[in-house]
Amino acid sequence: MSLPHYRSKLFLEEALKRYKKYLALKQKNPDEFLVPCYDFDLIWHSHQLHPLIYRDDTTAILGRVLNHDDSVNDRSENSKLTMSDRKTRELWRAAFDEDFGRCGCMYRGDPPESKIAKMTPTENYNIVRKRSNVSLHNAKLDLP
């Protein structure tokens, strides 16, 4: 998602349209594990940055909060991810009469291990953590 086209306004507008289609597809197929493309997965993650809005939006569309399960990563033959990807493509084609895949938005394989240094969990944590001091002087909790 760091490729230049992910910063294009037109690309992101199309990704938003595809995310809305994805939600419509999920609405029609509530029991299917649907696999997103990277373009609208970015929009999906952005939507989740506003948890109350995300909850309200997905509940209004789907009748429940849509769980985003990033733990399914096994791409072997007949795995949940592989089979669900095939099913998602079939349902997308049937619903929208267009290909699900989009250039520059598909899985391109694992990163080449010989070119990237492996990091320990501690090293990884040290480069991505952010530190901040927060002082809370007053708080009020309004419950519905």
Side-chain angles (χ1 to χ4, degrees):
M1 291 187 183
S2 61
L3 297 172
H5 59 279
Y6 279 85
R7 292 184 289 279
S8 158
K9 182 178 179 182
L10 178 60
F11 178 85
L12 294 172
E13 287 170 350
E14 288 299 313
L16 177 59
K17 289 177 189 174
R18 286 170 43 85
Y19 176 58
K20 290 177 181 180
K21 287 181 176 181
Y22 179 81
L23 292 174
L25 194 63
K26 186 64 179 172
Q27 184 182 47
K28 292 178 185 177
N29 301 277
D31 297 326
E32 290 291 340
F33 182 81
L34 300 178
V35 179
C37 261
Y38 291 142
D39 61 331
F40 64 82
D41 194 37
L42 173 64
I43 304 299
W44 191 358
H45 279 267
S46 299
H47 194 187
Q48 292 175 85
L49 291 173
H50 306 278
L52 299 179
I53 294 170
Y54 181 76
R55 178 200 62 197
D56 293 347
D57 289 348
T58 58
T59 300
I61 296 166
L62 305 171
R64 63 182 173 82
V65 176
L66 179 58
N67 178 33
H68 189 295
D69 187 355
D70 272 336
S71 69
V72 180
N73 297 309
D74 177 9
R75 294 179 181 275
S76 63
E77 188 176 346
N78 297 321
S79 68
K80 178 180 181 177
L81 182 59
T82 300
M83 300 304 290
S84 297
D85 180 66
R86 285 185 197 134
K87 184 67 174 181
T88 302
R89 290 168 186 270
E90 291 170 12
L91 292 170
W92 191 279
R93 167 62 72 188
F96 308 118
D97 195 29
E98 65 184 28
D99 287 334
F100 173 72
R102 185 167 182 214
C103 186
C105 303
M106 307 310 295
Y107 178 69
R108 299 182 309 160
D110 293 328
E113 291 202 29
S114 63
K115 308 241 182 206
I116 298 175
K118 289 193 181 254
M119 295 184 346
T120 67
T122 301
E123 290 169 327
N124 190 39
Y125 173 77
N126 286 335
I127 65 166
V128 299
R129 72 178 172 177
K130 293 182 180 179
R131 301 182 110 199
S132 62
N133 294 318
V134 177
S135 298
L136 184 61
H137 300 284
N138 189 6
K140 180 181 177 185
L141 179 62
D142 290 326
L143 298 173

mmCIF file of all heavy atoms in Angstrom, residues 26-62:
data_model
loop_
_atom_site.group_PDB
_atom_site.id
_atom_site.type_symbol
_atom_site.label_atom_id
_atom_site.label_comp_id
_atom_site.label_asym_id
_atom_site.label_seq_id
_atom_site.Cartn_x
_atom_site.Cartn_y
_atom_site.Cartn_z
ATOM 1 N N LYS A 26 -21.444 -8.305 1.311
ATOM 2 C CA LYS A 26 -21.499 -8.935 2.633
ATOM 3 C C LYS A 26 -22.942 -8.954 3.146
ATOM 4 O O LYS A 26 -23.372 -9.927 3.767
ATOM 5 C CB LYS A 26 -20.575 -8.200 3.611
ATOM 6 C CG LYS A 26 -20.463 -8.855 4.963
ATOM 7 C CD LYS A 26 -19.822 -10.231 4.854
ATOM 8 C CE LYS A 26 -19.685 -10.862 6.235
ATOM 9 N NZ LYS A 26 -19.242 -12.246 6.154
ATOM 10 N N GLN A 27 -23.684 -7.896 2.869
ATOM 11 C CA GLN A 27 -25.083 -7.825 3.277
ATOM 12 C C GLN A 27 -25.880 -8.963 2.629
ATOM 13 O O GLN A 27 -26.724 -9.581 3.265
ATOM 14 C CB GLN A 27 -25.666 -6.465 2.882
ATOM 15 C CG GLN A 27 -27.087 -6.231 3.340
ATOM 16 C CD GLN A 27 -27.597 -4.890 2.857
ATOM 17 O OE1 GLN A 27 -27.451 -4.533 1.679
ATOM 18 N NE2 GLN A 27 -28.167 -4.116 3.764
ATOM 19 N N LYS A 28 -25.594 -9.241 1.354
ATOM 20 C CA LYS A 28 -26.293 -10.306 0.628
ATOM 21 C C LYS A 28 -25.792 -11.696 1.008
ATOM 22 O O LYS A 28 -26.480 -12.691 0.777
ATOM 23 C CB LYS A 28 -26.120 -10.126 -0.880
ATOM 24 C CG LYS A 28 -26.828 -8.919 -1.439
ATOM 25 C CD LYS A 28 -26.566 -8.805 -2.925
ATOM 26 C CE LYS A 28 -27.180 -7.531 -3.481
ATOM 27 N NZ LYS A 28 -26.881 -7.355 -4.903
ATOM 28 N N ASN A 29 -24.576 -11.768 1.546
ATOM 29 C CA ASN A 29 -23.945 -13.048 1.879
ATOM 30 C C ASN A 29 -23.380 -13.002 3.301
ATOM 31 O O ASN A 29 -22.167 -13.096 3.502
ATOM 32 C CB ASN A 29 -22.824 -13.352 0.881
ATOM 33 C CG ASN A 29 -23.319 -13.420 -0.539
ATOM 34 O OD1 ASN A 29 -23.823 -14.446 -0.971
ATOM 35 N ND2 ASN A 29 -23.217 -12.312 -1.259
ATOM 36 N N PRO A 30 -24.241 -12.864 4.302
ATOM 37 C CA PRO A 30 -23.764 -12.633 5.669
ATOM 38 C C PRO A 30 -22.936 -13.758 6.270
ATOM 39 O O PRO A 30 -22.106 -13.512 7.144
ATOM 40 C CB PRO A 30 -25.052 -12.425 6.463
ATOM 41 C CG PRO A 30 -26.123 -13.073 5.661
ATOM 42 C CD PRO A 30 -25.698 -12.941 4.225
ATOM 43 N N ASP A 31 -23.112 -14.971 5.784
ATOM 44 C CA ASP A 31 -22.383 -16.099 6.367
ATOM 45 C C ASP A 31 -21.092 -16.442 5.640
ATOM 46 O O ASP A 31 -20.366 -17.338 6.058
ATOM 47 C CB ASP A 31 -23.300 -17.332 6.420
ATOM 48 C CG ASP A 31 -24.499 -17.102 7.321
ATOM 49 O OD1 ASP A 31 -24.358 -16.380 8.332
ATOM 50 O OD2 ASP A 31 -25.588 -17.631 7.005
ATOM 51 N N GLU A 32 -20.804 -15.730 4.559
ATOM 52 C CA GLU A 32 -19.573 -15.983 3.798
ATOM 53 C C GLU A 32 -18.408 -15.184 4.386
ATOM 54 O O GLU A 32 -18.569 -14.043 4.786
ATOM 55 C CB GLU A 32 -19.747 -15.584 2.330
ATOM 56 C CG GLU A 32 -20.664 -16.453 1.539
ATOM 57 C CD GLU A 32 -20.123 -17.852 1.279
ATOM 58 O OE1 GLU A 32 -18.889 -18.079 1.367
ATOM 59 O OE2 GLU A 32 -20.949 -18.727 0.980
ATOM 60 N N PHE A 33 -17.242 -15.816 4.404
ATOM 61 C CA PHE A 33 -16.009 -15.115 4.757
ATOM 62 C C PHE A 33 -15.501 -14.495 3.467
ATOM 63 O O PHE A 33 -14.938 -15.186 2.616
ATOM 64 C CB PHE A 33 -14.985 -16.080 5.358
ATOM 65 C CG PHE A 33 -13.704 -15.419 5.786
ATOM 66 C CD1 PHE A 33 -13.625 -14.762 6.997
ATOM 67 C CD2 PHE A 33 -12.585 -15.452 4.973
ATOM 68 C CE1 PHE A 33 -12.442 -14.151 7.401
ATOM 69 C CE2 PHE A 33 -11.401 -14.844 5.362
ATOM 70 C CZ PHE A 33 -11.337 -14.190 6.584
ATOM 71 N N LEU A 34 -15.752 -13.211 3.262
ATOM 72 C CA LEU A 34 -15.362 -12.524 2.035
ATOM 73 C C LEU A 34 -13.980 -11.900 2.200
ATOM 74 O O LEU A 34 -13.683 -11.288 3.231
ATOM 75 C CB LEU A 34 -16.389 -11.451 1.681
ATOM 76 C CG LEU A 34 -17.816 -11.943 1.447
ATOM 77 C CD1 LEU A 34 -18.741 -10.765 1.155
ATOM 78 C CD2 LEU A 34 -17.869 -12.967 0.329
ATOM 79 N N VAL A 35 -13.175 -12.037 1.177
ATOM 80 C CA VAL A 35 -11.797 -11.549 1.203
ATOM 81 C C VAL A 35 -11.728 -10.202 0.491
ATOM 82 O O VAL A 35 -12.201 -10.082 -0.638
ATOM 83 C CB VAL A 35 -10.868 -12.570 0.516
ATOM 84 C CG1 VAL A 35 -9.433 -12.078 0.493
ATOM 85 C CG2 VAL A 35 -10.960 -13.923 1.213
ATOM 86 N N PRO A 36 -11.133 -9.177 1.115
ATOM 87 C CA PRO A 36 -11.028 -7.879 0.442
ATOM 88 C C PRO A 36 -9.812 -7.796 -0.472
ATOM 89 O O PRO A 36 -8.879 -8.579 -0.357
ATOM 90 C CB PRO A 36 -10.859 -6.900 1.608
ATOM 91 C CG PRO A 36 -10.147 -7.708 2.644
ATOM 92 C CD PRO A 36 -10.681 -9.115 2.509
ATOM 93 N N CYS A 37 -9.844 -6.834 -1.383
ATOM 94 C CA CYS A 37 -8.675 -6.439 -2.169
ATOM 95 C C CYS A 37 -7.944 -5.348 -1.381
ATOM 96 O O CYS A 37 -8.553 -4.664 -0.559
ATOM 97 C CB CYS A 37 -9.120 -5.842 -3.510
ATOM 98 S SG CYS A 37 -9.055 -6.970 -4.874
ATOM 99 N N TYR A 38 -6.673 -5.153 -1.660
ATOM 100 C CA TYR A 38 -5.900 -4.175 -0.907
ATOM 101 C C TYR A 38 -6.416 -2.750 -1.050
ATOM 102 O O TYR A 38 -6.309 -1.962 -0.121
ATOM 103 C CB TYR A 38 -4.425 -4.220 -1.306
ATOM 104 C CG TYR A 38 -3.710 -5.476 -0.871
ATOM 105 C CD1 TYR A 38 -2.760 -6.069 -1.690
ATOM 106 C CD2 TYR A 38 -3.981 -6.080 0.345
ATOM 107 C CE1 TYR A 38 -2.096 -7.220 -1.307
ATOM 108 C CE2 TYR A 38 -3.320 -7.232 0.742
ATOM 109 C CZ TYR A 38 -2.375 -7.796 -0.087
ATOM 110 O OH TYR A 38 -1.726 -8.934 0.304
ATOM 111 N N ASP A 39 -6.986 -2.404 -2.212
ATOM 112 C CA ASP A 39 -7.441 -1.022 -2.391
ATOM 113 C C ASP A 39 -8.545 -0.678 -1.399
ATOM 114 O O ASP A 39 -8.450 0.299 -0.659
ATOM 115 C CB ASP A 39 -7.880 -0.747 -3.830
ATOM 116 C CG ASP A 39 -9.044 -1.598 -4.301
ATOM 117 O OD1 ASP A 39 -9.211 -2.747 -3.822
ATOM 118 O OD2 ASP A 39 -9.796 -1.127 -5.173
ATOM 119 N N PHE A 40 -9.568 -1.497 -1.318
ATOM 120 C CA PHE A 40 -10.633 -1.137 -0.388
ATOM 121 C C PHE A 40 -10.388 -1.662 1.021
ATOM 122 O O PHE A 40 -11.047 -1.246 1.965
ATOM 123 C CB PHE A 40 -12.030 -1.494 -0.918
ATOM 124 C CG PHE A 40 -12.319 -2.942 -1.127
ATOM 125 C CD1 PHE A 40 -12.706 -3.745 -0.073
ATOM 126 C CD2 PHE A 40 -12.255 -3.482 -2.395
ATOM 127 C CE1 PHE A 40 -13.009 -5.077 -0.280
ATOM 128 C CE2 PHE A 40 -12.567 -4.808 -2.608
ATOM 129 C CZ PHE A 40 -12.939 -5.619 -1.544
ATOM 130 N N ASP A 41 -9.397 -2.532 1.193
ATOM 131 C CA ASP A 41 -9.004 -2.899 2.559
ATOM 132 C C ASP A 41 -8.412 -1.674 3.259
ATOM 133 O O ASP A 41 -8.606 -1.482 4.461
ATOM 134 C CB ASP A 41 -8.007 -4.050 2.535
ATOM 135 C CG ASP A 41 -7.814 -4.691 3.899
ATOM 136 O OD1 ASP A 41 -8.807 -4.802 4.650
ATOM 137 O OD2 ASP A 41 -6.683 -5.088 4.208
ATOM 138 N N LEU A 42 -7.718 -0.833 2.500
ATOM 139 C CA LEU A 42 -7.214 0.426 3.046
ATOM 140 C C LEU A 42 -8.373 1.298 3.532
ATOM 141 O O LEU A 42 -8.328 1.878 4.627
ATOM 142 C CB LEU A 42 -6.403 1.170 1.986
ATOM 143 C CG LEU A 42 -5.950 2.585 2.333
ATOM 144 C CD1 LEU A 42 -4.983 2.567 3.508
ATOM 145 C CD2 LEU A 42 -5.318 3.242 1.121
ATOM 146 N N ILE A 43 -9.436 1.382 2.750
ATOM 147 C CA ILE A 43 -10.614 2.159 3.136
ATOM 148 C C ILE A 43 -11.266 1.520 4.362
ATOM 149 O O ILE A 43 -11.672 2.223 5.299
ATOM 150 C CB ILE A 43 -11.618 2.247 1.963
ATOM 151 C CG1 ILE A 43 -10.964 2.827 0.701
ATOM 152 C CG2 ILE A 43 -12.856 3.030 2.376
ATOM 153 C CD1 ILE A 43 -10.426 4.231 0.839
ATOM 154 N N TRP A 44 -11.335 0.207 4.371
ATOM 155 C CA TRP A 44 -11.922 -0.515 5.505
ATOM 156 C C TRP A 44 -11.160 -0.207 6.794
ATOM 157 O O TRP A 44 -11.749 0.111 7.821
ATOM 158 C CB TRP A 44 -11.915 -2.010 5.198
ATOM 159 C CG TRP A 44 -12.708 -2.894 6.116
ATOM 160 C CD1 TRP A 44 -13.414 -2.540 7.238
ATOM 161 C CD2 TRP A 44 -12.875 -4.299 5.989
ATOM 162 N NE1 TRP A 44 -14.007 -3.633 7.802
ATOM 163 C CE2 TRP A 44 -13.691 -4.735 7.041
ATOM 164 C CE3 TRP A 44 -12.410 -5.239 5.074
ATOM 165 C CZ2 TRP A 44 -14.053 -6.065 7.221
ATOM 166 C CZ3 TRP A 44 -12.781 -6.565 5.257
ATOM 167 C CH2 TRP A 44 -13.586 -6.969 6.306
ATOM 168 N N HIS A 45 -9.838 -0.292 6.750
ATOM 169 C CA HIS A 45 -9.028 0.025 7.929
ATOM 170 C C HIS A 45 -9.221 1.485 8.349
ATOM 171 O O HIS A 45 -9.290 1.791 9.542
ATOM 172 C CB HIS A 45 -7.547 -0.259 7.657
ATOM 173 C CG HIS A 45 -7.184 -1.696 7.801
ATOM 174 N ND1 HIS A 45 -6.714 -2.226 8.969
ATOM 175 C CD2 HIS A 45 -7.237 -2.722 6.908
ATOM 176 C CE1 HIS A 45 -6.475 -3.514 8.809
ATOM 177 N NE2 HIS A 45 -6.785 -3.844 7.565
ATOM 178 N N SER A 46 -9.314 2.378 7.385
ATOM 179 C CA SER A 46 -9.538 3.795 7.688
ATOM 180 C C SER A 46 -10.895 3.996 8.357
ATOM 181 O O SER A 46 -11.024 4.789 9.293
ATOM 182 C CB SER A 46 -9.461 4.633 6.412
ATOM 183 O OG SER A 46 -8.191 4.519 5.829
ATOM 184 N N HIS A 47 -11.906 3.276 7.898
ATOM 185 C CA HIS A 47 -13.243 3.349 8.488
ATOM 186 C C HIS A 47 -13.192 2.937 9.963
ATOM 187 O O HIS A 47 -13.811 3.561 10.826
ATOM 188 C CB HIS A 47 -14.171 2.432 7.700
ATOM 189 C CG HIS A 47 -15.630 2.625 7.962
ATOM 190 N ND1 HIS A 47 -16.569 1.773 7.431
ATOM 191 C CD2 HIS A 47 -16.335 3.531 8.683
ATOM 192 C CE1 HIS A 47 -17.781 2.161 7.814
ATOM 193 N NE2 HIS A 47 -17.657 3.219 8.574
ATOM 194 N N GLN A 48 -12.395 1.912 10.252
ATOM 195 C CA GLN A 48 -12.284 1.408 11.621
ATOM 196 C C GLN A 48 -11.561 2.368 12.567
ATOM 197 O O GLN A 48 -11.649 2.220 13.785
ATOM 198 C CB GLN A 48 -11.566 0.058 11.625
ATOM 199 C CG GLN A 48 -12.383 -1.040 10.981
ATOM 200 C CD GLN A 48 -11.595 -2.316 10.900
ATOM 201 O OE1 GLN A 48 -11.571 -3.080 11.844
ATOM 202 N NE2 GLN A 48 -10.937 -2.534 9.773
ATOM 203 N N LEU A 49 -10.870 3.348 12.011
ATOM 204 C CA LEU A 49 -10.192 4.336 12.862
ATOM 205 C C LEU A 49 -11.191 5.218 13.613
ATOM 206 O O LEU A 49 -10.805 5.954 14.517
ATOM 207 C CB LEU A 49 -9.257 5.209 12.020
ATOM 208 C CG LEU A 49 -8.027 4.510 11.462
ATOM 209 C CD1 LEU A 49 -7.274 5.442 10.518
ATOM 210 C CD2 LEU A 49 -7.121 4.022 12.582
ATOM 211 N N HIS A 50 -12.440 5.135 13.226
ATOM 212 C CA HIS A 50 -13.525 5.869 13.874
ATOM 213 C C HIS A 50 -14.517 4.825 14.411
ATOM 214 O O HIS A 50 -15.540 4.569 13.788
ATOM 215 C CB HIS A 50 -14.192 6.821 12.878
ATOM 216 C CG HIS A 50 -13.213 7.738 12.221
ATOM 217 N ND1 HIS A 50 -12.773 8.891 12.815
ATOM 218 C CD2 HIS A 50 -12.553 7.633 11.044
ATOM 219 C CE1 HIS A 50 -11.891 9.471 12.030
ATOM 220 N NE2 HIS A 50 -11.733 8.737 10.952
ATOM 221 N N PRO A 51 -14.184 4.199 15.552
ATOM 222 C CA PRO A 51 -14.920 3.023 15.997
ATOM 223 C C PRO A 51 -16.423 3.203 16.191
ATOM 224 O O PRO A 51 -17.191 2.303 15.871
ATOM 225 C CB PRO A 51 -14.257 2.630 17.311
ATOM 226 C CG PRO A 51 -13.199 3.613 17.577
ATOM 227 C CD PRO A 51 -13.092 4.554 16.436
ATOM 228 N N LEU A 52 -16.852 4.334 16.698
ATOM 229 C CA LEU A 52 -18.287 4.527 16.902
ATOM 230 C C LEU A 52 -19.018 4.677 15.568
ATOM 231 O O LEU A 52 -20.097 4.106 15.357
ATOM 232 C CB LEU A 52 -18.552 5.730 17.795
ATOM 233 C CG LEU A 52 -17.967 5.634 19.210
ATOM 234 C CD1 LEU A 52 -18.262 6.891 19.997
ATOM 235 C CD2 LEU A 52 -18.476 4.399 19.937
ATOM 236 N N ILE A 53 -18.410 5.411 14.644
ATOM 237 C CA ILE A 53 -18.990 5.556 13.310
ATOM 238 C C ILE A 53 -18.988 4.198 12.607
ATOM 239 O O ILE A 53 -19.978 3.807 11.982
ATOM 240 C CB ILE A 53 -18.232 6.622 12.489
ATOM 241 C CG1 ILE A 53 -18.422 8.000 13.117
ATOM 242 C CG2 ILE A 53 -18.677 6.610 11.030
ATOM 243 C CD1 ILE A 53 -17.523 9.071 12.534
ATOM 244 N N TYR A 54 -17.871 3.475 12.721
ATOM 245 C CA TYR A 54 -17.768 2.144 12.111
ATOM 246 C C TYR A 54 -18.852 1.221 12.657
ATOM 247 O O TYR A 54 -19.539 0.533 11.892
ATOM 248 C CB TYR A 54 -16.373 1.553 12.359
ATOM 249 C CG TYR A 54 -16.185 0.198 11.737
ATOM 250 C CD1 TYR A 54 -15.979 0.065 10.371
ATOM 251 C CD2 TYR A 54 -16.236 -0.963 12.506
ATOM 252 C CE1 TYR A 54 -15.816 -1.178 9.784
ATOM 253 C CE2 TYR A 54 -16.079 -2.208 11.924
ATOM 254 C CZ TYR A 54 -15.873 -2.311 10.573
ATOM 255 O OH TYR A 54 -15.717 -3.546 9.991
ATOM 256 N N ARG A 55 -18.996 1.210 13.965
ATOM 257 C CA ARG A 55 -20.035 0.377 14.586
ATOM 258 C C ARG A 55 -21.416 0.743 14.048
ATOM 259 O O ARG A 55 -22.180 -0.126 13.644
ATOM 260 C CB ARG A 55 -20.010 0.549 16.105
ATOM 261 C CG ARG A 55 -21.102 -0.242 16.832
ATOM 262 C CD ARG A 55 -21.397 0.282 18.211
ATOM 263 N NE ARG A 55 -21.892 1.660 18.118
ATOM 264 C CZ ARG A 55 -21.932 2.491 19.153
ATOM 265 N NH1 ARG A 55 -21.485 2.130 20.324
ATOM 266 N NH2 ARG A 55 -22.410 3.712 18.988
ATOM 267 N N ASP A 56 -21.725 2.034 14.054
ATOM 268 C CA ASP A 56 -23.043 2.482 13.604
ATOM 269 C C ASP A 56 -23.269 2.172 12.121
ATOM 270 O O ASP A 56 -24.348 1.695 11.739
ATOM 271 C CB ASP A 56 -23.221 3.980 13.852
ATOM 272 C CG ASP A 56 -23.277 4.329 15.336
ATOM 273 O OD1 ASP A 56 -23.422 3.409 16.173
ATOM 274 O OD2 ASP A 56 -23.159 5.524 15.653
ATOM 275 N N ASP A 57 -22.271 2.431 11.283
ATOM 276 C CA ASP A 57 -22.403 2.197 9.848
ATOM 277 C C ASP A 57 -22.589 0.711 9.535
ATOM 278 O O ASP A 57 -23.500 0.337 8.796
ATOM 279 C CB ASP A 57 -21.183 2.725 9.084
ATOM 280 C CG ASP A 57 -21.098 4.236 9.028
ATOM 281 O OD1 ASP A 57 -22.086 4.912 9.374
ATOM 282 O OD2 ASP A 57 -20.027 4.743 8.623
ATOM 283 N N THR A 58 -21.702 -0.128 10.078
ATOM 284 C CA THR A 58 -21.792 -1.549 9.741
ATOM 285 C C THR A 58 -23.034 -2.191 10.356
ATOM 286 O O THR A 58 -23.639 -3.076 9.745
ATOM 287 C CB THR A 58 -20.512 -2.322 10.132
ATOM 288 O OG1 THR A 58 -20.260 -2.184 11.529
ATOM 289 C CG2 THR A 58 -19.321 -1.832 9.329
ATOM 290 N N THR A 59 -23.433 -1.732 11.516
ATOM 291 C CA THR A 59 -24.662 -2.256 12.124
ATOM 292 C C THR A 59 -25.879 -1.858 11.294
ATOM 293 O O THR A 59 -26.789 -2.664 11.092
ATOM 294 C CB THR A 59 -24.801 -1.776 13.580
ATOM 295 O OG1 THR A 59 -23.665 -2.243 14.323
ATOM 296 C CG2 THR A 59 -26.060 -2.326 14.228
ATOM 297 N N ALA A 60 -25.891 -0.637 10.782
ATOM 298 C CA ALA A 60 -27.007 -0.190 9.936
ATOM 299 C C ALA A 60 -27.079 -0.999 8.638
ATOM 300 O O ALA A 60 -28.163 -1.334 8.169
ATOM 301 C CB ALA A 60 -26.870 1.298 9.623
ATOM 302 N N ILE A 61 -25.930 -1.342 8.079
ATOM 303 C CA ILE A 61 -25.892 -2.066 6.806
ATOM 304 C C ILE A 61 -26.068 -3.569 7.000
ATOM 305 O O ILE A 61 -26.807 -4.220 6.255
ATOM 306 C CB ILE A 61 -24.566 -1.784 6.067
ATOM 307 C CG1 ILE A 61 -24.472 -0.305 5.695
ATOM 308 C CG2 ILE A 61 -24.417 -2.663 4.828
ATOM 309 C CD1 ILE A 61 -23.084 0.142 5.282
ATOM 310 N N LEU A 62 -25.394 -4.114 8.014
ATOM 311 C CA LEU A 62 -25.321 -5.570 8.161
ATOM 312 C C LEU A 62 -26.093 -6.126 9.356
ATOM 313 O O LEU A 62 -26.194 -7.341 9.510
ATOM 314 C CB LEU A 62 -23.850 -5.999 8.289
ATOM 315 C CG LEU A 62 -22.920 -5.542 7.169
ATOM 316 C CD1 LEU A 62 -21.481 -5.842 7.514
ATOM 317 C CD2 LEU A 62 -23.318 -6.186 5.854
#
